[in-house]
């Protein structure tokens, strides 16, 4: 069945770049998403990429998509302590609105 | 302000005592969904609804019920809670038929079953 995999933890120093990786299985996904969950809060959409794109840049965020390898990554440039959160990769499921989420990567930013 | 509101935010209860977690959205979204979040397991979908009176099981529906009598509300019912239902629960909603779809999440309801 559909599955989304991502590593559970990432620790970086403030000012460094963070790269969070994700692999997915459903090649028919039209969009792939990154959601951010700050401590004590619900998830919020951070960014997304259309499946026929290779890259999308939005300020400090860069999303790379390798459709052949079904690999998605999120790069955060100049990582700040405020970027500490759990980041979820998600792909569009079969039914409209059903997203398949990865387990989430907890990003810790050390000063 | 556009939002998804869940209540209660925190609840401690005992095994077998029926409880309902309410969810309401003010964005006229057709799609609503319940998830539970557990350490190491990520988000798992419990039930979802694509419109009024239309509900479907997600990945982990056992021990839960839902109803969708009105578009804005999607309560989660635990008829006889058990300790393995101790978890952080999230309600989410989105518009149907639009891509990219954005799911809007509530702030979560932390449930402890003793």
């Amino acid at each position: 069945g559909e599955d989304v995999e991502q590593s559970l933890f990432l620790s970086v120093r403030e000012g460094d770049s963070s790269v969070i990786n994700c692999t997915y299985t459903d090649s028919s996904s039209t969009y792939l998403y990154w959601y951010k969950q700050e401590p004590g809060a619900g998830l919020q959409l951070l960014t997304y990429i259309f499946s026929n794109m290779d890259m999308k840049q939005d300020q400090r965020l860069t999303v790379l998509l390798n459709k052949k390898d079904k690999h998605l990554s999120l790069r955060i440039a100049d990582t700040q302590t405020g970027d500490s959160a759990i980041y979820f990769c998600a792909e569009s499921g079969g039914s409209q609105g059903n997203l398949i989420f990865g387990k989430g990567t907890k990003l810790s930013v050390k000063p | 302000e556009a939002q998804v509101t869940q209540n209660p935010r925190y609840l401690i209860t005992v095994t077998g005592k029926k409880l309902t977690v309410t969810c309401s959205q003010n964005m006229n979204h057709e799609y609503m969904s319940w998830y539970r979040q557990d350490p190491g397991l990520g988000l798992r979908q419990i039930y979802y609804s694509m419109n009024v009176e239309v509900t479907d099981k997600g990945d982990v529906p056992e021990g839960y019920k839902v109803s969708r009598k009105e578009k804005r509300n999607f309560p989660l019912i635990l008829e006889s809670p058990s300790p393995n239902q101790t978890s952080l629960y999230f309600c989410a909603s989105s518009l149907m038929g639009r891509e990219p779809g954005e799911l809007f999440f509530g702030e979560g309801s932390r449930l402890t079953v003793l």
Side-chain angles (χ1 to χ4, degrees):
Chain A
E2 298 148 345
D3 199 15
V4 177
E5 299 280 344
Q6 49 183 132
S7 54
L8 293 182
F9 301 100
L10 177 64
S11 181
V12 301
R13 291 214 172 272
E14 194 172 18
D16 288 350
S17 290
S18 308
V19 180
I20 302 171
N21 294 301
C22 168
T23 58
Y24 61 97
T25 56
D26 187 358
S27 57
S28 66
S29 294
T30 310
Y31 286 90
L32 293 136
Y33 304 85
W34 285 103
Y35 278 77
K36 178 183 180 182
Q37 183 184 27
E38 295 187 354
L43 282 72
Q44 281 191 301
L45 180 64
L46 188 62
T47 187
Y48 61 88
I49 187 167
F50 188 46
S51 59
N52 70 353
M53 295 172 65
D54 299 322
M55 185 181 88
K56 179 180 179 181
Q57 186 142 8
D58 183 1
Q59 299 181 334
R60 293 190 298 120
L61 304 178
T62 303
V63 179
L64 295 177
L65 175 60
N66 181 330
K67 203 170 178 183
K68 175 174 163 289
D69 294 339
K70 296 179 189 170
H71 183 267
L72 182 73
S73 68
L74 173 69
R75 179 177 180 269
I76 306 173
D78 186 24
T79 312
Q80 303 298 307
T81 54
D83 294 323
S84 293
I86 303 176
Y87 292 82
F88 290 88
C89 173
E91 62 173 351
S92 308
S95 303
Q96 192 67 261
N98 272 11
L99 296 185
I100 310 298
F101 287 93
K103 289 184 169 53
T105 300
K106 184 172 184 178
L107 174 64
S108 298
V109 183
K110 297 184 180 353
Chain B
E1 183 192 347
Q3 59 187 4
V4 178
T5 304
Q6 300 178 221
N7 278 297
R9 294 287 315 278
Y10 302 92
L11 179 64
I12 299 174
T13 190
V14 295
T15 300
K17 186 174 181 184
K18 180 179 177 180
L19 68 92
T20 299
V21 186
T22 63
C23 174
S24 180
Q25 50 91 7
N26 62 0
M27 295 169 279
N28 203 34
H29 286 169
E30 298 90 354
Y31 180 88
M32 296 185 75
S33 183
W34 276 103
Y35 297 87
R36 59 178 289 174
Q37 184 178 21
D38 301 288
L41 297 177
L43 277 177
R44 293 180 292 169
Q45 190 177 46
I46 302 170
Y47 269 95
Y48 65 96
S49 168
M50 294 201 181
N51 216 325
V52 175
E53 302 291 1
V54 180
T55 62
D56 271 300
K57 295 177 181 178
D59 298 318
V60 288
E62 294 78 21
Y64 304 94
K65 283 173 58 176
V66 292
S67 69
R68 188 89 183 273
K69 293 186 171 57
E70 305 163 283
K71 199 171 186 180
R72 63 183 294 129
N73 295 323
F74 190 44
L76 179 69
I77 303 152
L78 286 74
E79 292 272 3
S80 182
S82 62
N84 66 10
Q85 292 178 298
T86 292
S87 187
L88 178 58
Y89 291 86
F90 287 100
C91 180
S93 71
S94 71
L95 281 171
M96 292 286 295
R98 174 179 288 187
E99 288 236 79
E102 178 177 357
L103 267 176
F104 292 83
F105 283 81
E107 297 205 328
S109 297
R110 186 168 290 281
L111 171 66
T112 302
V113 183
L114 301 175

